Amino acid sequence: MIETRVLRVDATQPDPAVIDQAALAIRQGKLVAFPTETVYGLGANALDAEAVKRIFEAKDRPATDPLIVHLAHIGQLSTCASQVPPAARKLGLAFWAGPLTMVLPKRPAVPDCVTAGLPSVALRVPSHPVARALMEMAGVPVAAPSANRFSRPSPTTAAHVLADLEGRIDLVLDAGPTDIGIESTIVDFTVDPPIMRRPGGLTLEQIRTIVPGVVARAWYGGPEAAQIAPGQLTRHYAPRAEVTLYEGTPERVIHWVAADTRTLTARGARVGVLAPEEDLRALATELAPLAASGRVKVRPYGARSSPERSAREFFAALRALDETDVTHILATSIGTDGVGLAVRDRLFRAAEGRVRKV
Ligand code: TXA
Ligand code: MG
């Protein structure tokens, strides 16, 4: 156990004196959790193999799951990437700083433990003012996975980080809740055509306005998943409760969530319902008596009419439900348009692939 210090910092105008302390800690090989526009990251000097190994220990993360390296600006790309195809440069110029990660051939300076031995490295320029100031002042690339324990939901607040990592890391920069709420979109440029490896805060539609040829590959399931996309195994955001994702026509989804909630509670289970506001409204009369008796807990995450808010609230809602005594979580999605695709992907993983098609 080590003492975890927490420093509050303004999200839009971070105090340079606070950032300086965090930057010094990074240079000293320490672990610093910091906000990005997507989720909180757990950062260490990417060029210091010992510091990077401590990230894996703190998170209980398997060494086979490579990390994303964060840069202060696009000009630092060639410090880590040995080759940048023109399409990648275009995409970076269009969407950095922002929720985009690009996989490129790596330079030898990037230690093998960062990339889990792969010849490629994942790179990202975050747009959060605190993250940017930290990269700038640290003066080194910062390797940072999401700041959660392995297989826990990603953290969107400093409280989430502390719940998972207090006593295991040196410092947390607390700038309040993150804006986008789900991780960056990963596009792999070591293959042609480039492949979207993970849907995220930047939508496929946005990416294709700049690089129309990017393909979305099935990025989960199947025994080959580990090779196709390292770290993208189905079991990834698995909460303690058993999650089931309901998909089908809206009426049938509502009908079956209500019916299964009644069946499960009749058997003594404690049920959580995780859904956008429209679905919870449709379920309200059905579930109200059970909710009043405490056997059902409902938790909205945004609304189908506001996909961005759904993404922002998703992980916090999943964590909050999972911290209650529920044994089962029945969930509905907001569809797969825009950022909905990324939210649906996180739900699918939380459900470990358990989808009830109705
Ligand atoms: O938004 C984000 O991307 C957040 C914030 C902190 O920046 N970070 C994040 O990191 O989500 P993490 O470690 O939770 O996810 C990193 C994923 C790995 O699981 C892996 O799938 C992929 O990035 N990755 C990293 N290096 C790769 C490589 N060389 N080739 C393919 N995929 C890679
Ligand atoms: Mg993660």
Side-chain angles (χ1 to χ4, degrees):
M1 286 282 278
I2 53 175
E3 194 205 335
T4 303
R5 282 194 306 148
V6 180
L7 296 176
R8 291 243 5 133
V9 60
D10 189 83
T12 48
Q13 286 180 307
D15 178 352
V18 172
I19 301 297
D20 204 30
Q21 289 187 51
L24 177 66
I26 293 279
R27 284 196 300 273
Q28 290 172 333
K30 293 184 175 166
L31 300 187
V32 177
F34 62 96
T36 79
E37 69 280 19
T38 58
V39 300
Y40 275 73
L42 178 60
N45 179 354
L47 305 180
D48 177 348
E50 289 312 308
V52 169
K53 282 179 187 149
R54 291 183 51 224
I55 292 180
F56 287 90
E57 284 166 22
K59 281 184 57 107
D60 293 326
R61 181 180 176 113
T64 50
D65 190 356
L67 308 180
I68 295 173
V69 176
H70 295 66
L71 308 171
H73 50 83
I74 192 169
Q76 292 181 329
L77 204 47
S78 54
T79 62
C80 294
S82 62
Q83 226 181 307
V84 185
R89 197 172 293 283
K90 261 177 83 178
L91 199 63
L93 284 169
F95 294 117
W96 275 345
L100 166 71
T101 294
M102 294 199 279
V103 177
L104 295 166
K106 92 171 182 74
R107 270 198 189 278
V110 181
D112 285 333
C113 59
V114 171
T115 63
L118 292 171
S120 58
V121 60
L123 296 167
R124 155 159 142 79
V125 178
S127 65
H128 195 295
V130 172
R132 301 199 77 176
L134 180 63
M135 299 323 136
E136 202 69 65
M137 287 180 110
V140 291
V142 173
S146 49
N148 51 292
R149 289 282 269 274
F150 185 67
S151 95
R152 293 269 295 143
S154 291
T156 56
T157 67
H160 296 160
V161 176
L162 289 170
D164 281 14
L165 298 173
E166 184 157 28
R168 295 175 157 245
I169 63 176
D170 299 284
L171 184 62
V172 181
L173 290 178
D174 178 358
T178 59
D179 186 39
I180 294 175
I182 45 167
E183 302 91 333
S184 61
T185 304
I186 301 178
V187 183
D188 187 346
F189 279 95
T190 66
V191 286
D192 193 18
I195 296 177
M196 181 177 73
R197 298 278 184 198
R198 175 176 77 182
L202 185 68
T203 67
L204 188 58
E205 293 89 332
Q206 287 172 300
I207 289 168
R208 285 182 173 158
T209 62
I210 306 294
V211 187
V214 171
V215 295
R217 210 24 100 71
W219 46 85
Y220 35 50
E224 73 284 15
Q227 283 94 50
I228 289 174
Q232 291 298 291
L233 300 168
T234 300
R235 191 191 146 71
H236 202 92
Y237 303 99
R240 297 179 187 91
E242 183 182 292
V243 180
T244 305
L245 172 59
Y246 285 70
E247 290 190 332
T249 61
E251 303 74 39
R252 294 184 63 80
V253 164
I254 297 300
H255 171 83
W256 282 106
V257 168
D260 289 354
T261 301
R262 282 193 303 270
T263 310
L264 283 163
T265 50
R267 286 192 205 135
R270 290 174 303 278
V271 175
V273 180
L274 178 67
E277 284 161 10
E278 293 90 344
D279 289 358
L280 291 183
R281 264 200 300 279
L283 284 161
T285 35
E286 287 268 18
L287 299 185
L290 287 166
S293 75
R295 274 183 299 163
V296 170
K297 300 203 166 61
V298 292
R299 186 88 204 182
Y301 69 96
R304 200 164 284 118
S305 60
S306 172
E308 281 71 29
R309 192 157 65 80
S310 293
R312 188 179 308 131
E313 294 175 5
F314 174 72
F315 277 127
L318 178 62
R319 261 184 195 258
L321 254 192
D322 203 36
E323 271 154 22
T324 68
D325 61 354
V326 299
T327 53
H328 295 72
I329 294 175
L330 313 190
T332 68
S333 83
I334 57 164
T336 53
D337 289 346
V339 82
L341 183 65
V343 177
R344 195 264 175 197
D345 168 75
R346 305 317 186 258
L347 266 174
F348 183 88
R349 291 173 199 288
E352 298 177 62
R354 217 176 293 108
V355 179
R356 183 137 152 60
K357 302 254 184 222
V358 294

Coordinates of all heavy atoms in Angstrom, one line a residue, residues 34 36-42 59 61 65-68 70 99-101 103-104 114-115 118-124 126 144-148 154 182-186 188 190 197-198 228-232 236-237 346, ligand 1:
F34 N -5.2 10.9 -14.2 CA -5.5 12.2 -14.7 C -6.8 12.1 -15.6 O -7.0 11.1 -16.2 CB -4.4 12.8 -15.4 CG -3.9 12.1 -16.7 CD1 -4.4 12.4 -17.9 CD2 -3.1 11.0 -16.6 CE1 -4.0 11.7 -19.1 CE2 -2.7 10.2 -17.7 CZ -3.2 10.6 -19.0
T36 N -9.0 12.7 -18.9 CA -9.0 13.0 -20.3 C -10.4 13.3 -20.7 O -11.3 13.2 -19.9 CB -8.4 11.9 -21.2 OG1 -9.5 10.9 -21.4 CG2 -7.2 11.2 -20.6
E37 N -10.7 13.8 -21.9 CA -12.0 14.1 -22.3 C -12.9 12.8 -22.4 O -14.1 12.9 -22.4 CB -12.0 14.8 -23.7 CG -11.6 14.0 -24.9 CD -10.1 13.9 -25.0 OE1 -9.4 14.1 -24.0 OE2 -9.7 13.5 -26.1
T38 N -12.3 11.6 -22.5 CA -13.0 10.4 -22.6 C -13.3 9.8 -21.2 O -14.4 9.8 -20.7 CB -12.3 9.3 -23.5 OG1 -11.0 9.1 -22.9 CG2 -12.2 9.8 -24.9
V39 N -12.2 9.2 -20.6 CA -12.3 8.7 -19.2 C -11.0 9.0 -18.5 O -10.1 9.6 -19.1 CB -12.4 7.1 -19.3 CG1 -13.7 6.7 -20.0 CG2 -11.2 6.4 -19.9
Y40 N -10.9 8.8 -17.2 CA -9.6 9.0 -16.5 C -8.6 7.9 -16.9 O -8.9 6.8 -17.1 CB -9.8 8.9 -15.0 CG -10.3 10.2 -14.4 CD1 -11.6 10.7 -14.6 CD2 -9.4 11.0 -13.6 CE1 -12.0 11.9 -14.0 CE2 -9.8 12.2 -13.1 CZ -11.1 12.7 -13.3 OH -11.5 13.9 -12.7
G41 N -7.3 8.4 -17.1 CA -6.2 7.5 -17.4 C -5.3 7.3 -16.3 O -5.2 8.2 -15.4
L42 N -4.6 6.2 -16.3 CA -3.5 6.0 -15.3 C -2.2 6.1 -16.0 O -1.8 5.2 -16.7 CB -3.7 4.6 -14.6 CG -2.6 4.2 -13.6 CD1 -2.6 5.3 -12.4 CD2 -2.8 2.8 -13.1
K59 N -3.1 -2.1 -11.8 CA -4.5 -2.4 -12.4 C -4.8 -3.9 -12.4 O -5.9 -4.3 -12.8 CB -4.5 -2.0 -13.9 CG -4.7 -0.5 -14.1 CD -4.8 -0.2 -15.6 CE -5.9 -1.0 -16.3 NZ -7.1 -0.3 -16.7
R61 N -3.5 -5.8 -14.5 CA -3.7 -6.0 -16.0 C -2.8 -7.0 -16.6 O -1.6 -6.9 -16.3 CB -3.5 -4.6 -16.6 CG -3.8 -4.5 -18.1 CD -3.5 -3.1 -18.6 NE -3.6 -2.9 -20.0 CZ -4.6 -2.2 -20.6 NH1 -5.5 -1.7 -19.9 NH2 -4.6 -2.0 -21.9
D65 N -1.9 -7.1 -22.7 CA -2.8 -6.1 -23.1 C -2.1 -4.7 -23.3 O -1.8 -4.1 -22.3 CB -3.9 -6.0 -22.1 CG -5.1 -5.1 -22.5 OD1 -5.0 -4.5 -23.6 OD2 -6.1 -5.0 -21.7
P66 N -1.8 -4.3 -24.5 CA -1.0 -3.1 -24.7 C -1.6 -1.8 -24.3 O -2.8 -1.7 -24.2 CB -0.7 -3.1 -26.3 CG -1.9 -3.9 -26.8 CD -2.3 -4.9 -25.8
L67 N -0.8 -0.8 -24.0 CA -1.3 0.5 -23.5 C -1.3 1.5 -24.6 O -0.6 1.4 -25.7 CB -0.3 1.0 -22.4 CG 0.0 0.1 -21.3 CD1 1.0 0.7 -20.3 CD2 -1.3 -0.4 -20.6
I68 N -2.1 2.6 -24.4 CA -2.1 3.7 -25.3 C -1.1 4.8 -24.8 O -1.0 5.1 -23.6 CB -3.5 4.3 -25.4 CG1 -4.5 3.3 -26.0 CG2 -3.5 5.6 -26.2 CD1 -5.9 3.8 -26.0
H70 N 0.1 8.6 -24.8 CA -0.5 9.9 -25.0 C 0.6 11.0 -25.3 O 1.6 11.0 -24.6 CB -1.3 10.3 -23.7 CG -2.5 9.4 -23.4 ND1 -2.3 8.1 -23.1 CD2 -3.8 9.7 -23.5 CE1 -3.5 7.5 -23.0 NE2 -4.4 8.5 -23.2
P99 N -10.8 12.4 -29.1 CA -11.0 10.9 -28.7 C -10.7 9.9 -29.8 O -11.5 9.1 -30.2 CB -12.5 10.9 -28.4 CG -13.1 11.9 -29.2 CD -12.1 13.0 -29.4
L100 N -9.5 10.1 -30.4 CA -9.0 9.2 -31.5 C -7.7 8.6 -31.1 O -6.8 9.3 -30.6 CB -8.8 10.0 -32.8 CG -8.0 9.3 -33.9 CD1 -8.8 8.2 -34.5 CD2 -7.6 10.4 -35.0
T101 N -7.5 7.3 -31.2 CA -6.2 6.6 -31.0 C -5.8 5.9 -32.3 O -6.7 5.3 -33.0 CB -6.3 5.6 -29.9 OG1 -6.6 6.2 -28.7 CG2 -5.1 4.7 -29.8
V103 N -3.1 3.3 -34.3 CA -2.1 2.3 -34.2 C -1.2 2.4 -35.4 O -1.6 2.3 -36.5 CB -2.7 0.9 -34.1 CG1 -1.6 -0.2 -34.0 CG2 -3.6 0.8 -32.9
L104 N 0.1 2.6 -35.1 CA 1.2 2.8 -36.1 C 2.4 1.9 -35.8 O 2.6 1.5 -34.6 CB 1.5 4.3 -36.1 CG 0.4 5.2 -36.5 CD1 0.8 6.7 -36.2 CD2 0.1 5.1 -38.0
V114 N 5.2 -1.7 -23.1 CA 4.1 -0.7 -23.5 C 3.2 -1.4 -24.5 O 1.9 -1.3 -24.4 CB 4.6 0.6 -24.0 CG1 3.5 1.5 -24.5 CG2 5.4 1.4 -22.9
T115 N 3.8 -2.0 -25.5 CA 3.0 -2.5 -26.6 C 2.8 -4.1 -26.5 O 2.3 -4.7 -27.5 CB 3.8 -2.3 -27.9 OG1 5.0 -3.0 -27.9 CG2 4.0 -0.8 -28.1
L118 N 4.2 -6.1 -29.2 CA 3.8 -5.9 -30.6 C 4.7 -4.9 -31.3 O 5.3 -4.1 -30.7 CB 2.4 -5.3 -30.7 CG 1.2 -6.2 -30.2 CD1 -0.1 -5.4 -30.1 CD2 1.0 -7.3 -31.2
P119 N 4.8 -5.1 -32.7 CA 5.7 -4.1 -33.4 C 5.0 -2.8 -33.7 O 5.5 -1.9 -34.3 CB 5.9 -4.9 -34.7 CG 4.8 -5.8 -34.9 CD 4.3 -6.1 -33.5
S120 N 3.8 -2.6 -33.2 CA 3.0 -1.4 -33.4 C 2.7 -0.7 -32.0 O 2.8 -1.3 -31.0 CB 1.7 -1.7 -34.1 OG 0.9 -2.6 -33.3
V121 N 2.4 0.6 -32.1 CA 2.1 1.3 -30.9 C 0.8 2.1 -31.1 O 0.6 2.7 -32.2 CB 3.3 2.3 -30.4 CG1 3.6 3.3 -31.5 CG2 3.0 3.0 -29.1
A122 N 0.0 2.2 -30.0 CA -1.3 3.0 -30.1 C -1.0 4.4 -29.6 O -0.5 4.6 -28.5 CB -2.4 2.3 -29.3
L123 N -1.4 5.4 -30.3 CA -1.0 6.8 -30.0 C -2.2 7.7 -30.0 O -3.1 7.6 -30.8 CB 0.0 7.4 -31.0 CG 1.4 6.6 -31.0 CD1 2.2 7.0 -32.2 CD2 2.1 6.9 -29.7
R124 N -2.2 8.6 -29.0 CA -3.4 9.5 -28.9 C -3.0 10.9 -28.4 O -2.1 10.9 -27.5 CB -4.4 8.8 -28.0 CG -5.4 9.7 -27.3 CD -6.7 8.9 -26.9 NE -7.2 9.2 -25.6 CZ -8.0 10.3 -25.4 NH1 -8.3 11.1 -26.4 NH2 -8.5 10.5 -24.2
P126 N -4.8 13.7 -26.4 CA -6.1 14.0 -25.7 C -6.4 15.5 -25.7 O -5.4 16.3 -25.8 CB -5.9 13.5 -24.3 CG -4.4 13.5 -24.1 CD -3.8 13.3 -25.4
A144 N -0.9 5.4 -20.8 CA -2.0 5.5 -19.9 C -3.2 4.6 -20.3 O -3.9 5.0 -21.3 CB -2.5 6.9 -19.7
P145 N -3.5 3.5 -19.7 CA -4.7 2.8 -19.9 C -5.8 3.5 -19.0 O -5.5 4.5 -18.3 CB -4.5 1.5 -19.3 CG -3.5 1.7 -18.2 CD -2.7 2.9 -18.6
S146 N -7.0 3.1 -19.2 CA -8.1 3.7 -18.3 C -7.7 3.3 -16.8 O -7.2 2.3 -16.6 CB -9.4 3.1 -18.7 OG -9.4 1.7 -18.8
A147 N -8.1 4.2 -15.9 CA -7.6 4.1 -14.5 C -8.6 3.3 -13.7 O -9.0 3.8 -12.6 CB -7.4 5.5 -13.9
N148 N -8.9 2.1 -14.1 CA -9.7 1.2 -13.4 C -9.0 -0.1 -13.1 O -8.0 -0.4 -13.8 CB -11.0 0.9 -14.2 CG -10.7 0.4 -15.6 OD1 -10.2 1.2 -16.4 ND2 -10.9 -0.8 -15.9
S154 N -14.8 1.5 -16.8 CA -13.9 2.6 -16.9 C -14.3 3.8 -16.0 O -15.5 4.0 -15.8 CB -13.7 3.1 -18.3 OG -13.1 2.1 -19.1
I182 N -16.9 7.7 -22.7 CA -16.5 6.4 -23.1 C -15.1 6.6 -23.8 O -14.8 7.7 -24.2 CB -17.4 5.7 -24.1 CG1 -17.9 6.7 -25.1 CG2 -18.6 5.0 -23.4 CD1 -18.6 6.1 -26.3
E183 N -14.3 5.5 -24.0 CA -13.0 5.6 -24.4 C -12.9 6.1 -25.9 O -13.8 6.1 -26.6 CB -12.2 4.3 -24.2 CG -12.2 3.8 -22.8 CD -13.4 2.9 -22.5 OE1 -14.4 3.0 -23.2 OE2 -13.2 2.0 -21.6
S184 N -11.6 6.3 -26.3 CA -11.3 6.8 -27.6 C -11.6 5.7 -28.6 O -11.6 4.5 -28.3 CB -9.9 7.2 -27.7 OG -9.0 6.1 -27.4
T185 N -11.8 6.1 -29.9 CA -11.9 5.2 -31.0 C -10.6 4.8 -31.5 O -9.7 5.7 -31.7 CB -12.7 5.9 -32.2 OG1 -13.9 6.4 -31.6 CG2 -13.0 4.9 -33.3
I186 N -10.3 3.5 -31.7 CA -9.0 3.0 -32.1 C -9.0 2.6 -33.5 O -9.8 1.8 -34.0 CB -8.5 1.8 -31.2 CG1 -8.5 2.2 -29.8 CG2 -7.2 1.3 -31.7 CD1 -8.1 1.0 -28.8
D188 N -6.6 1.2 -36.6 CA -5.3 0.6 -36.9 C -4.8 0.9 -38.3 O -5.4 0.4 -39.2 CB -5.5 -1.0 -36.6 CG -4.1 -1.7 -36.7 OD1 -3.1 -1.2 -37.2 OD2 -4.1 -2.9 -36.3
T190 N -1.8 -0.1 -39.4 CA -0.7 -1.0 -39.8 C -1.2 -2.0 -40.8 O -0.5 -2.9 -41.3 CB -0.1 -1.8 -38.6 OG1 -1.1 -2.7 -38.0 CG2 0.4 -0.8 -37.5
R197 N -10.6 -0.7 -34.6 CA -10.4 -1.8 -33.6 C -11.3 -1.7 -32.4 O -11.7 -2.7 -31.8 CB -9.0 -1.9 -33.1 CG -7.9 -2.1 -34.1 CD -7.8 -3.6 -34.4 NE -6.7 -3.9 -35.3 CZ -6.6 -5.0 -36.0 NH1 -7.5 -5.9 -35.9 NH2 -5.6 -5.2 -36.8
R198 N -11.7 -0.5 -32.1 CA -12.6 -0.3 -31.0 C -13.5 1.0 -31.3 O -12.9 2.0 -31.6 CB -11.8 0.0 -29.7 CG -12.7 0.3 -28.5 CD -11.9 0.5 -27.2 NE -11.2 1.7 -27.1 CZ -10.4 2.1 -26.1 NH1 -10.2 1.2 -25.1 NH2 -9.7 3.2 -26.1
I228 N -6.9 -10.7 -33.0 CA -7.3 -9.7 -33.8 C -7.1 -8.3 -33.2 O -6.6 -7.4 -33.8 CB -8.9 -9.9 -34.1 CG1 -9.0 -11.0 -35.1 CG2 -9.4 -8.6 -34.8 CD1 -10.5 -11.4 -35.3
A229 N -7.5 -8.2 -31.9 CA -7.4 -6.9 -31.2 C -7.0 -7.2 -29.8 O -7.8 -7.5 -29.0 CB -8.7 -6.2 -31.3
P230 N -5.7 -7.0 -29.5 CA -5.2 -7.3 -28.1 C -6.0 -6.6 -27.1 O -6.3 -5.4 -27.3 CB -3.8 -6.9 -28.2 CG -3.6 -6.1 -29.4 CD -4.6 -6.5 -30.4
G231 N -6.4 -7.2 -26.0 CA -7.1 -6.5 -25.0 C -8.6 -6.3 -25.2 O -9.3 -5.8 -24.4
Q232 N -9.0 -6.7 -26.4 CA -10.4 -6.4 -26.7 C -11.3 -7.7 -26.6 O -12.1 -8.0 -27.4 CB -10.6 -5.9 -28.2 CG -10.0 -4.5 -28.3 CD -10.7 -3.5 -27.5 OE1 -11.9 -3.2 -27.7 NE2 -10.1 -3.0 -26.4
H236 N -14.8 -7.6 -20.4 CA -13.9 -6.4 -20.3 C -14.4 -5.5 -19.3 O -13.7 -4.9 -18.4 CB -13.7 -5.8 -21.6 CG -12.5 -4.9 -21.7 ND1 -11.3 -5.4 -22.1 CD2 -12.3 -3.7 -21.3 CE1 -10.4 -4.5 -22.0 NE2 -11.0 -3.4 -21.6
Y237 N -15.7 -5.2 -19.3 CA -16.3 -4.3 -18.3 C -17.2 -5.0 -17.4 O -18.2 -4.5 -16.9 CB -17.1 -3.2 -19.0 CG -16.2 -2.4 -20.0 CD1 -16.3 -2.7 -21.4 CD2 -15.3 -1.5 -19.6 CE1 -15.4 -2.1 -22.3 CE2 -14.5 -0.8 -20.5 CZ -14.6 -1.1 -21.8 OH -13.8 -0.5 -22.7
R346 N -19.8 -1.3 -25.2 CA -19.5 -1.5 -23.8 C -20.5 -2.3 -23.1 O -20.2 -3.1 -22.2 CB -19.4 -0.1 -23.1 CG -18.4 0.9 -23.8 CD -17.1 0.4 -24.2 NE -16.2 1.4 -24.6 CZ -15.9 1.7 -25.9 NH1 -16.5 1.0 -26.9 NH2 -15.0 2.6 -26.2
Ligands
TXA1 O1 -9.9 7.0 -24.2 C1 -9.0 6.2 -24.0 O2 -8.5 5.6 -25.0 C2 -8.5 6.0 -22.6 C3 -7.9 7.3 -22.1 C4 -7.2 7.1 -20.8 O3 -7.0 7.8 -23.1 N1 -7.6 4.9 -22.6 C5 -7.9 3.6 -22.8 O4 -6.9 2.7 -22.6 O5 -9.0 3.3 -23.0 P1 -7.1 1.1 -22.4 O6 -5.8 0.6 -21.9 O7 -8.2 0.9 -21.5 O8 -7.3 0.5 -23.8 C6 -6.2 0.4 -24.6 C7 -6.5 -0.6 -25.7 C8 -6.0 -2.0 -25.5 O9 -6.9 -2.7 -24.7 C9 -5.9 -2.5 -26.9 O10 -7.1 -3.0 -27.3 C10 -5.6 -1.2 -27.7 O11 -5.8 -0.1 -26.9 N2 -4.2 -1.2 -28.2 C11 -3.2 -0.7 -27.5 N3 -2.0 -0.9 -28.3 C12 -2.4 -1.5 -29.4 C13 -1.7 -2.0 -30.5 N4 -0.4 -1.9 -30.7 N5 -2.4 -2.7 -31.5 C14 -3.8 -2.8 -31.3 N6 -4.5 -2.4 -30.3 C15 -3.8 -1.8 -29.3

